[in-house]
Structures are given as C-alpha cells and as structure tokens.
Amino acid sequence: MRAPRGSVDVSSTSATHREYWHGVFVPAVMSVGLLFSIATLLRDALRWVGGNSLERRAAIGAAATASWVVGESHPDPDAMGILPRLAYLVSAGLFTAASLYVAVGSVANFLHDGGYVSDIGWLLGLALGLALVLLMLGVTAFLMFWGWPDPPHRLLAALRAGPFTSVYDAHGVAGPSWSVTTGFVTTATITTLVTLMVGTGRSIALEIDRPISTWLVEIESLDRLAVFDAFGATWIALALVVLVGVSTLRCRVLAWSYPAAVAAGFMISWLLREVIERPRPTGFGVAESFPSGHMVQAALIAGLVPLAAWVLTADRRAAVVSTVLLWLAVGTTAVHRIHVATHWPLDVVAGAGLGLTIVLAVHWAVAHGAWHHQCRRCPWSPRPAEAVWSRLLIHLTPGEAHRIGTLGRISAVGAAASLLVATLFVGIPADPEGYGLTSALAVPVQLTLAVIVLLAGLAAQRWRAKAAVAMAVAASGLGVYAAVQYAVWVSVTLTAMLLVPAVLTWVAWQRDETIGRIAGLAVVSGLLTTGTWFGATAVHAAFFGPTHPESTVVLSELNEAEWVWVGGVTDRQATLVAGGLPDETPLTLSLWADGRVALVVDVEAGENGLIRHTWFDLDPATTYGYAVTETDESLPTVVDGSFTTFATGPQDLTVVLGACARTGSNGSVFDAMAAEEPDLYIGVGDLHYSNLASTSPSDHINEYHRMAIQPAQAQLFRTTPFAYVWDDHDYGPNDSGASSPSREAVSLAYRQAVPNYEVDPDPSQSIAQAFTIGRVRFVITDTRSMRTDVSMLSERQLAWLVDELVESAPTHAVVVWVNPTPWVATADGGGSDDWSAFPEERRAIADAIAAAEIDNLVMVSGDAHMLAIDDGSNTGFVTSGASGFPLLHVAALDRPGSVKGGPYSEGAFPGPGQYGLLRILDDGGTEVTVVLSGKNWRNETIVSLELTVTSGG
C-alpha cells in the first residue's frame, strides 16, 4: 500500500512579523489624533462657506484687483491669504501618506485573523472612505502647489466642474472639464491596478475577496436587491440602443461614440476574461468571472443614458437626476452580484471601473464643442439654431455615392465568391463534438449564406437598404456558425469583414434618405452585429466552455516555476518537469524525505523555460518533497509538491483516469479525482482541446502550460504521479493522424515537457510506453501519430503491443491496456474515428489475445464523452467469435456528453464532469480483485463492475 500523502509546508509567518503588522497598522484606524486632525481640516474648510466665504472672497478679489491696477503678473500671496508654496507640497505629501497608511492598515487588519477589524466589512468600508477623502485632500494640496499662487477659487471652480459642465477656451469653444479628464485617468489607473493584482496575484486577490464576499453572502436581507439584477442584463442594454439611437438624431458625436463605447466594453471585458480566466465564486458559469460583464453594462447604462436624456430634453437637470438614480442602481446591483456569489468583489470593482472609464471617455469626446458643428439642437453645438441635419449622415456628392455603391456591389460578389471557394475547396468549420453538424448539413448552410451575399450584391443596384440588411444577416449567420470551431473574436472578425459590402451599400444609400430611415436601418444593423457576438459566444461556449462547476481550490505559489508535474514514477525512480522558468537561469532542484534533504541538483532552465530531471535509486514506498529554488538551501522554505514511490511486490492501487477536457479547464471534477487520494493519474487523451496544427514545439508546450497552471489540475499534478497519452484534440486538428502538420512539433514537445515511462526518444516514432507497478503491467498505445489510411498503430507498434500483451499476461497479476480510441464500434467502411475503421487490425489483436489465452486483461479507453463499462461480452472481435475482455470508458472531464460505439453490457452514460476509477486489490494471492467504476464531480458513482481475476504471475 502507498504511504499516506500529505502536503509539506515547512514555513510559517513569524510571530514577530505578525506583531509588526499589529503595531504599525492598528493606529491606522484607531488613532484619536488622526480624527482630531480631520476635524481641524473640516473646520478650516467651513471657513470657505457662508459669510466667511463671502468675506474671504472679497479680500481675495480686492487683492487681485490691486495687483492688476499696479501691473503685477500675480497678486501677493500673503494679501490673498494663500499659504507659502512649500506648505502645499508638504500638505500633499502628508495627506497622501496618511491615505496610504489608513488604506493599507485597514485592509491588513481586515484580512488578518485576530485583527481589530477582522471581518467587519462596514468598518473596512468606512476606513477606505476616509482614505479616499485624505487622498482627495492630498491631490487638492498638490494642485495648489502646482498652480501657486493662483486664487483658490479657480481651483474650486475646476473641482466643481462636473461631467455635464463645459469649459470654454479663449475663443469661446467648449471643451472637457478638468473633472472629466482627471476622472478618466483616475478610474483607468484604478481599474488597471485591480486587473494587474487579480491577474498576477490570485492568492492575494482572494484574500481580499473572500472575507468581503462571505460577509455579504450571509446578509439575507440583500435578497431584496434582486430586482436590480436585470439592470445590467443584455436585453436592457439592447433596448437602450433605441433610446440612445433617437438621441443621436440630434448629436453626431453621440451617434458614433455610443456604439464605440458598447463595442469597447464588450471587447475589453472579453479579452480580460480570456487572459485572466478567473473562476466564479460558485465555480459555475459559461464565462469567466473577471471582470464582471454585468457591471460593465450597468456602468455604461448609468453613464450614457443621462447623456441621451440631456440631448432629448435639453435640460441638464434631467441628466443630473438620472445619473444619481442610475449610479445608485449600479451600486445596489454590485452588492447583489456579490451577495449571490456570482462575482467576487474585485470582479465587480473592475467591471464598474472599466465601464466608468469608457463612460468618461465618451463624456470627454462629447464635451468638444468643435466636434458638434453639424449637430441639430445639440447642447454642445456652438450654433444649435443654424445646424440642420434632416438628411445625410455622411456628406457625399452624387458621383461619390455612385462609386461607393459600385464598390459595395463588387465587394459583395467577391465575398460570396470567396465563401464558395472556401466551402468547396478549402473546408468549413468542423464540429468537434459530433453533434450532427456534419458536412452533409454544414456545406449547404455555408453555401446558402454565400448565395445570400451574392444575391444581395446583385440586388443592391435597385434595393440598397434591403440588400444591406441581407448582407448583414448573412455575415451575422456566418459568424455564429464559425464559432463551432473558432474563438469568438475570430468569428466576430469574420463577420466584420463580411459587413464591409453592407456598410458600403449603406453609405451610398443614406445620401438620399431621411434621418429617420437612416437611424432605423442603423438600429437594425447594430442589433444584428451585437447578436453575432452573443450568438457566437453561446455557440462557442456550448462546444468549448465549462460544462460543470469550476473548482474553487486555491494553491500556494511555487518557488520559481509556474508549474510542475511528476511522472515515470516506479519503486526506484521518478521524473520531474517544471515550466515557466527564465531560460538559462541557474537553479537548484531539491528532493527530500522525512525532513532531510536527500538530493540537491544544480539545474538550468533550457529552451521553452523547462527543466527536466530524473532521480534514480530512490527508496520504495517513500513520500518525497521537492522544490525548484534559486539558491542551494538545506531545506527549502516552500515546498513545490510531493510524490510517493511505489512499493515492491503485491500492493493495492488506486488509479484515476480521465479524458476530454476543454482548454484551460479548472473543473471541479479534478477536485473529486484528487479526493480519491490516487496512487496514479492516467490521462487517456484530449487533456486539452486546442486542435493545434502548429509546427512549433513551443506552441504545444504553451498548451501544456495552460493546462498545468489551472489550480484544480495543478493540485493533481503536484502530488500524484502522472502518465499520459494524447488523442486528436491535444495532438493536432480534429480526427488527425500521421499526416497532421503538427506531428513533428507535438512529438518534440511531448518528449521535452511531459514526464513519461521511457518513450522512444526518436520523435518520428510513437509515444507508446509500458511500466509495472507491483504485479500490474500498464501498456499504453499511441493511436494518433502513426495512424494512416490502412493502420491505426503502424506495423512496428502493432508488433510491440502484441508482444507486450502476450509476454506480460503470464508474469503479472493484471494487464491494463490504455487505448485512447473507442474499441467497440460497428464497421462503416473505414470512415469512423474509431477501431471500426480498421477491422482487420482490430481482429489481429483480438486473435492474438485469444490465442495466448489471456484472461487477466482490462482495457481503458477515452475519446467518447461518456462513462461506459463492458464485461467482455462485446469486446471480442475474434475470428472464432469468442468473448473479449472488460472495458472501461473514462470521459468526459470537461466536455459535453456524447456516446460512441456500443453496445456496452453495463450501459453508457454521457455527460461532463466525469472520470474513471480503477481499484486493484492485490494481497499476493492467486486471485486479484479489480473494480472498474465511473464517477462524476459530485463524487457519485455512475456505473461500476467488480471482477475477480486469476493472477498470471
């Protein structure tokens, strides 16, 4: 039996360090002196209001007038009651330092167990509000220093200039106020800092998020805020397109800045989610958690709808009132999103910050009076009464309109021809899951879209508006359809390219139309384009998104590497691969057991930031800790991981097996697998779904990197010996074989980055491998890299497999054949991606097994997104018709369910979040118990079969 496994952590925060934080930061929120200082500042500020304000302003005005009369460029500061310039600089530094002191101290106390304000969320909010006030005072003092000795009323006027207040230059032309520009820079900076913190220090972000989230989740009264949850919903955002669209009839700047703001919000938030890939608090959702797209939309609504209200009503009060009400709704929405554990607090902050940043950018744009010279009754227009805008969104002469219309028709015909060629000769987006979107259906769909574009281009000569809409519909349909294979941004980019003919046709058409019809067509086109984004997102998520709740596990950071995994483990040796290291960096690899360093090796990161090392002459049944560090330490303070060598002789084994996970999966299924405390984890192919055809080994290593850094998977890799063979999606394109363009690159990447059981070092050969644990022989075949039209394995690998099975069965208690490709399937003429396409090769293997009278063989397969067990009734395929061997199908880890092949005696159970479990109970006797089972992420057993096998050795 395997020795008990436990995490090894030989470091902790010292008591002295904790006392330091208490001693320094407790006064940050408890200091009475600080409160008196704030009271003094408030008292001084009140001197600027009421009668005191009038008296002081009169004195300042008199001093300024006297200076002007005598010809002084600046009034005397002493006469105006202004402090010396240095005093403002010192004040700015003190206020800023106090702000940081309060903010850092309050956050530290809130997060620290036993702190004075530990877990008291409202007090943390109060402290942070105080820090913000101090920061504002510091900024004001600095501005006084910078503009000294200008009268303070100018600064106050600038501070009072809100988003609906214009500032005029010497020529009377309006421009953005100081507050808008400063607000944009501030919100952009804060949002960027939050993004960097979440993206680069996930553990730190969770330390901030978890207490706040826990506090808000437990407040039941916040359930009443559910009414505001629809505030940031997509349907509301789309409905507001109409409202803002009406307002754009009067304001040209708003006409282009509003759709640009919506597009920027979608694109930036999508990009951040793709890069950061942070799971939601509940673990479930088709989208990542950071930033909150819901809050981005809510902020855009709160910031841009008041602009539309101002344009339509010409009353600034309507804009101010709607702004206050809508931003209160944003705040309640934010609290409710955290309360229902849909988003972490920092997700909400970043989403609202991103939305506000974009809103302020729009405010900055519309505040430029010179940009509104063609607006009709726009609040920012310098001559609103003279501006006429009943026709012509874009000013064109008849000749220009004719040429643009002709170009639109030509481009439509060209786009249609390109689609036809691509459909018939290049290929179409491939269905990666076998949902039924076969070429028999997909080709007509794409041909139909191409014909629509072609007919629309021909009809644009007479029916320009209808032709433009038809082109937009076809472009949108193609974008949604392309999402079955390509990322959302690729699909949307394709749609944008195909929209060029529609846009050209629309531009030529609008010259002779009223503004009402122009706006109507613009709204329809905008809805189609927006629908493409949401449709492509939904389709792509159905094929590639998470299929069950994601893991919430948080791992400690490694010393120097970004990821590690251990494989090739026997009773005497093990191989470690660590990645994400700077090239040519001297490092130390330490290995120890029982708190003593056993081996210290100097290593250096090679190409692609990898180190690879194999230890020999280890002790059997021993748990070892390991670490990759910069310096040679007697015992590293942080342990990267641990593994346990196997015992010699008969032993019980627990093996978890899985196949088919989306790229970058962090599913809860991996937590369930880790909870089994397995002795070995075998990946039976498709551990990512990149479908990478790249000829660069680095690209394939990057995909291993993306997989291995996910917390749930890293938890397994750091502490469980790993064996792995690829299938099609992690080898190359869908259904690929020996002719895949990725073959050489992925072969090199595997041999560099994946620990294994001594595969052939020649990258032109397969990655087949075999190893023994106790009295169990594991035989792993490569059914991809050698596959041709006539053979699944190749003649060489086939001979090796038969020899392994025939020679191992008599000398081992159990033989486990890991075969990624479905074995039980009906021959259909050689077109299937399973063993039915190679019936003669399958029969040759089955006959060899029958001839050797092997009855202690168990097969494990993947690829099919199901759990399935057969007791041998349907696996024979022997010429004589004899029965076969037990079979366990193990999938899908994080892909939608599907069934392939069959029948299976114990049934087939499609679904996501599933894995296989193989338990071998061997006490050294002639009979060995083998338990095959399939479980899901809830730790529920879906199917199971217990066998008694007569030992062959």
Side-chain angles (χ1 to χ4, degrees):
M1 289 291 292
R2 172 179 190 174
R5 178 186 294 112
S7 60
V8 184
D9 189 356
V10 294
S11 67
S12 62
T13 305
S14 67
T16 302
H17 188 67
R18 291 195 298 268
E19 291 173 0
Y20 169 80
W21 281 77
H22 275 276
V24 172
F25 291 110
V26 168
V29 292
M30 307 301 293
S31 173
V32 177
L34 184 59
L35 294 177
F36 276 114
S37 299
I38 295 171
T40 302
L41 292 171
L42 292 175
R43 183 195 63 187
D44 187 65
L46 292 175
R47 296 172 61 191
W48 284 86
V49 299
N52 289 333
S53 173
L54 294 176
E55 182 179 344
R56 297 191 68 177
R57 290 182 185 280
I60 291 173
T65 302
S67 298
W68 177 76
V69 171
V70 298
E72 294 179 350
S73 58
H74 293 287
D76 182 15
D78 291 334
M80 297 183 64
I82 299 176
L83 298 175
R85 188 177 191 187
L86 182 60
Y88 290 110
L89 180 60
V90 173
S91 298
L94 291 175
F95 281 128
T96 304
S99 173
L100 294 174
Y101 184 73
V102 173
V104 176
S106 57
V107 170
N109 273 278
F110 180 76
L111 298 178
H112 181 69
D113 292 338
Y116 285 88
V117 293
S118 176
D119 297 333
I120 305 177
W122 67 266
L123 190 54
L124 173 64
L126 185 63
L128 293 178
L130 173 61
L132 181 60
V133 171
L134 291 172
L135 180 61
M136 293 176 62
L137 291 173
V139 171
T140 303
F142 179 77
L143 291 174
M144 286 295 297
F145 163 77
W146 186 266
W148 192 92
D150 283 346
H153 68 275
R154 296 185 183 181
L155 175 60
L156 294 175
L159 289 173
R160 291 172 178 170
F164 303 106
T165 303
S166 297
V167 177
Y168 294 89
D169 61 15
H171 303 286
V173 179
S177 67
W178 176 88
S179 63
V180 170
T181 304
T182 304
F184 171 80
V185 174
T186 303
T187 54
T189 301
I190 293 174
T191 305
T192 301
L193 292 175
V194 172
T195 301
L196 290 175
M197 181 175 64
V198 174
T200 60
R202 296 195 178 189
S203 59
I204 298 175
L206 282 174
E207 289 180 0
I208 297 173
D209 280 330
R210 278 180 170 165
I212 301 173
S213 183
T214 301
W215 172 57
L216 290 177
V217 166
E218 294 176 351
I219 303 177
E220 296 182 0
S221 60
L222 295 180
D223 290 334
R224 300 172 185 173
L225 300 181
V227 65
F228 292 98
D229 204 41
F231 182 55
T234 300
W235 68 269
I236 290 182
L238 294 178
L240 289 171
V241 170
V242 177
L243 172 63
V244 180
V246 174
S247 69
T248 60
L249 301 180
R250 295 183 174 182
C251 180
R252 281 199 174 192
V253 180
L254 195 59
W256 59 260
S257 61
Y258 179 77
V262 174
F266 281 126
M267 290 298 295
I268 297 173
S269 59
W270 171 82
L271 179 62
L272 291 177
R273 286 195 294 269
E274 289 293 310
V275 172
I276 295 178
E277 296 184 336
R278 191 188 198 196
R280 294 177 183 265
T282 54
F284 186 74
V286 297
E288 307 295 345
S289 184
F290 185 91
S292 169
H294 201 89
M295 293 307 302
V296 173
Q297 294 184 51
L300 291 177
I301 292 172
L304 298 181
V305 168
L307 283 177
W310 190 10
V311 171
L312 293 174
T313 63
D315 188 345
R316 185 162 55 191
R317 290 173 296 181
V320 173
V321 171
S322 60
T323 296
V324 173
L325 294 178
L326 288 174
W327 278 106
L328 285 175
V330 170
T332 55
T333 300
V335 172
H336 186 259
R337 301 295 285 183
I338 301 172
H339 169 67
V340 297
T342 304
H343 286 287
W344 297 105
L346 289 179
D347 303 339
V348 169
V349 170
L354 173 59
L356 180 57
T357 300
I358 296 173
V359 164
L360 290 172
V362 174
H363 278 269
W364 183 89
V366 298
H368 286 78
W371 297 356
H372 296 267
H373 63 281
Q374 290 185 331
C375 292
R376 181 186 183 189
R377 292 182 296 175
C378 168
W380 299 276
S381 174
R383 296 179 298 276
E386 301 175 12
V388 179
W389 190 27
S390 59
R391 293 176 181 268
L392 286 177
L393 188 63
I394 301 175
H395 211 62
L396 296 174
T397 64
E400 291 171 339
H402 176 73
R403 287 191 292 272
I404 291 176
T406 302
L407 182 60
R409 294 192 294 274
I410 294 174
S411 61
V413 173
S418 300
L419 278 176
L420 291 172
V421 171
T423 303
L424 298 176
F425 302 103
V426 178
I428 58 176
D431 174 2
E433 302 293 351
Y435 281 168
L437 194 61
T438 61
S439 58
L441 177 62
V443 170
V445 168
Q446 190 157 310
L447 287 176
T448 299
L449 294 174
V451 170
I452 290 176
V453 175
L454 177 62
L455 294 178
L458 297 176
Q461 176 68 30
R462 183 171 182 181
W463 300 290
R464 289 178 176 175
K466 295 180 177 64
V469 172
M471 294 175 192
V473 169
S476 178
L478 187 65
V480 172
Y481 168 66
V484 302
Q485 179 173 350
Y486 302 110
V488 175
W489 72 269
V490 175
S491 301
V492 174
T493 301
L494 179 62
T495 296
M497 294 173 61
L498 289 176
L499 279 175
V500 170
V503 172
L504 292 173
T505 303
W506 178 85
V507 169
W509 165 83
Q510 58 88 39
R511 182 184 182 279
D512 301 316
E513 296 298 329
T514 64
I515 194 63
R517 296 190 64 186
I518 293 174
L521 185 59
V523 169
V524 172
S525 302
L527 291 174
L528 284 172
T529 306
T530 306
T532 302
W533 178 278
F534 291 108
T537 300
V539 170
H540 193 74
F543 284 95
F544 298 99
T547 55
H548 69 290
E550 297 208 357
S551 170
T552 57
V553 66
V554 178
L555 296 177
S556 60
E557 294 186 5
L558 303 176
N559 285 282
E560 300 300 328
E562 293 186 26
W563 55 271
V564 292
W565 51 17
V566 176
V569 177
T570 67
D571 57 343
R572 296 287 183 179
Q573 71 180 56
T575 299
L576 175 140
V577 176
L581 295 159
D583 294 351
E584 300 181 356
T585 300
L587 299 164
T588 296
L589 175 58
S590 304
L591 180 74
W592 64 89
D594 302 324
R596 57 183 176 80
V597 174
L599 292 169
V600 177
V601 182
D602 292 329
V603 293
E604 184 176 281
E607 186 179 5
N608 298 309
L610 300 175
I611 62 169
R612 183 187 188 94
H613 182 76
T614 300
W615 293 287
F616 300 94
D617 300 323
L618 301 179
D619 295 330
T622 302
T623 298
Y624 289 91
Y626 60 85
V628 180
T629 58
E630 283 188 342
T631 58
D632 182 2
E633 301 179 17
S634 58
L635 192 64
T637 56
V638 177
V639 180
D640 287 342
S642 62
F643 65 90
T644 302
T645 53
F646 296 104
T648 56
Q651 58 192 285
D652 295 347
L653 287 176
T654 298
V655 183
V656 292
L657 310 103
C660 306
R662 69 181 177 94
T663 302
S665 175
N666 191 43
S668 295
V669 65
F670 296 104
D671 296 343
M673 294 166 72
E676 303 285 355
E677 297 186 356
D679 300 294
L680 178 67
Y681 169 30
I682 299 180
V684 195
D686 291 341
L687 291 193
H688 64 74
Y689 252 63
S690 295
N691 295 304
L692 197 60
S694 172
T695 58
S696 169
S698 298
D699 291 340
H700 294 274
I701 291 174
N702 286 338
E703 296 307 314
Y704 293 138
H705 174 97
R706 291 181 63 188
M707 178 178 69
I709 63 174
Q710 300 304 319
Q713 296 199 59
Q715 178 178 241
L716 270 174
F717 294 142
R718 292 187 188 184
T719 58
T720 305
F722 180 54
Y724 156 61
V725 62
W726 54 46
D727 199 29
D728 52 346
H729 298 290
D730 50 355
Y731 164 77
N734 186 35
D735 295 346
S736 54
S739 61
S740 171
S742 66
R743 185 179 187 278
E744 181 179 356
V746 74
S747 294
L748 289 170
Y750 182 97
R751 287 165 170 83
Q752 291 177 28
V754 179
N756 56 73
Y757 287 91
E758 300 179 356
V759 302
D760 192 319
D762 184 355
S764 66
Q765 298 302 317
S766 74
I767 59 170
Q769 52 199 289
F771 57 94
T772 298
I773 300 175
R775 297 200 300 166
V776 181
R777 185 67 170 172
F778 292 87
V779 181
I780 302 177
T781 49
D782 173 3
T783 59
R784 286 294 165 189
S785 68
M786 309 306 291
R787 184 187 300 196
T788 63
D789 293 338
V790 297
S791 175
M792 175 79 79
L793 302 177
S794 79
E795 183 177 348
R796 176 177 175 176
Q797 187 181 186
L798 175 61
W800 172 86
L801 171 63
V802 172
D803 288 344
E804 272 289 342
L805 298 180
V806 172
E807 293 175 5
S808 299
T811 59
H812 292 76
V814 181
V815 178
V816 179
W817 176 15
V818 180
N819 160 51
T821 303
W823 176 264
V824 181
T826 303
D828 60 358
S832 297
D833 188 46
D834 54 46
W835 276 98
S836 69
F838 307 91
E840 295 180 0
E841 191 169 2
R842 179 173 59 180
R843 184 178 300 109
I845 297 172
D847 286 344
I849 293 172
E853 299 182 350
I854 299 174
D855 58 5
N856 59 346
L857 174 66
V858 175
M859 176 185 283
V860 178
S861 288
D863 190 62
H865 296 181
M866 65 185 183
L867 295 173
I869 294 179
D870 191 86
D871 60 6
S873 303
N874 304 290
T875 60
F877 299 103
V878 184
T879 303
S880 64
S883 60
F885 40 80
L887 165 66
L888 170 64
H889 261 285
V890 293
L893 290 170
D894 195 6
R895 302 299 309 119
S898 64
V899 174
K900 292 184 180 180
Y904 303 97
S905 65
E906 310 305 307
F909 305 88
Q914 301 183 151
Y915 66 98
L917 185 63
L918 173 64
R919 294 190 187 275
I920 299 175
L921 308 178
D922 182 9
D923 60 4
T926 57
E927 291 188 344
V928 176
T929 300
V930 178
V931 181
L932 308 176
S933 60
K935 305 178 74 173
N936 64 15
W937 60 275
R938 297 186 183 92
N939 200 30
E940 300 169 338
T941 299
I942 306 300
V943 61
S944 180
L945 177 65
E946 183 173 319
L947 308 166
T948 299
V949 177
T950 300
S951 171

